[in-house]
Amino acid sequence: MGKLTTHVLDTANGRPGAGIRIELHALASGDARRLLKTTVTNQDGRCDAPLLEGEAFVAGEYELVFHAGDYFAATGAALPQPRFVDRVVLRFGVADADAHYHVPLLVSPWSYSTYRGS
């Protein structure tokens, strides 16, 4: 059975992104979104459980929203207003719901990247 997981790495400070709020949305036709879950990363920058798994994990399009700007503000980072990186929105597709989709975020106040991990 497949599952969806994520983790966050704070590349500006070289540590896990702990305490980052994440929203998971399912996308329907057009830009219609349906909130599936809201969670917060643990001290290791990971979620305590998969975001989706088993029968709840189906093929389709999803969106992860990482509240990175709030995280960096809480660390005391000097941020411009408006923030250059605030909410990071990652849209991705799941073609095989029997596979493991790991969608990590590497983020700083000035940049971010992602990839499909394992």
Side-chain angles (χ1 to χ4, degrees):
M1 289 210 192
K3 63 182 174 180
L4 172 64
T5 59
T6 189
H7 76 272
V8 182
L9 298 174
D10 172 349
T11 59
N13 297 295
R15 62 183 178 213
I20 297 178
R21 180 179 168 189
I22 302 170
E23 299 166 11
L24 171 65
H25 300 266
L27 300 177
S29 60
D31 280 336
R33 301 174 358 166
R34 180 172 47 97
L35 180 64
L36 299 176
K37 186 175 207 171
T38 300
T39 190
V40 176
T41 57
N42 61 26
Q43 292 301 310
D44 196 31
R46 299 178 182 275
C47 300
D48 290 329
L51 296 169
L52 288 175
E53 65 182 329
E55 293 179 8
F57 188 48
V58 298
E61 293 183 281
Y62 294 90
E63 181 179 277
L64 285 168
V65 180
F66 298 85
H67 292 253
D70 292 343
Y71 163 79
F72 284 111
T75 68
L79 302 173
Q81 292 301 321
R83 298 168 181 163
F84 184 73
V85 170
D86 191 19
R87 290 187 183 148
V88 176
V89 179
L90 301 179
R91 286 189 171 191
F92 59 96
V94 170
D96 180 3
D98 290 324
H100 181 188
Y101 282 74
H102 184 66
V103 184
L105 177 69
L106 289 71
V107 66
S108 82
W110 309 107
S111 67
Y112 63 89
S113 65
T114 190
Y115 56 92
R116 181 173 173 197
S118 57

